Amino acid sequence: MIVSTKDGRSMSQNSLNTTLNDLTSQVRLFLKEREWEKYQNPKDLAESICIEAAELLEVFQWVRTEESEQFKNKPQKAQRIKEELADVLIYCLGMASTLNIDLTAAVLEKTENNKRKYPAEQYRGKANFDT
């Protein structure tokens, strides 16, 4: 995918060469160009995350688990999932930016907390956390 940088240059981006900061900058630029920054408040962003997550969930409504596992082989379904995932992530990036949350640090911290809370040797292969 080709994207524009802040200084107007074009560059190819993908998951291998794009950081969360790069994505956040792209979202900020998109908002600034449209003068939509004023709509970026925690309440509205939280609502938007939920709405977009519900649209993602809608793709899977009334579908058997086995059928959903085949969506990666169905271009129309895969495209819709990709779009909804992007919408969720865009709003998450906006929320983190608005609240000055370093998402990389937050994810790493949460992962470490989960390692302590759910030790692998105790929870390996378990979906039920009551034990």
Side-chain angles (χ1 to χ4, degrees), residues 42-81:
K43 180 195 78 70
D44 288 343
L45 290 165
E47 289 173 349
S48 296
I49 291 167
C50 291
I51 291 164
E52 295 301 339
E55 290 179 12
L56 174 62
L57 185 58
E58 185 180 37
V59 176
F60 297 92
Q61 187 176 22
W62 312 119
V63 174
R64 293 183 326 277
T65 301
E66 300 78 23
E67 186 180 350
S68 73
E69 291 169 349
Q70 296 306 311
F71 283 178
K72 62 185 169 203
N73 302 319
K74 297 182 178 182
Q76 255 186 325
K77 290 286 189 186
Q79 180 64 29
R80 173 91 190 278
I81 292 166

Side-chain angles (χ1 to χ4, degrees), residues 1 11-20 22-23:
M1 160 160 268
M11 66 181 284
S12 175
Q13 288 194 303
N14 60 42
S15 292
L16 297 176
N17 67 2
T18 305
T19 67
L20 284 176
D22 294 334
L23 293 176

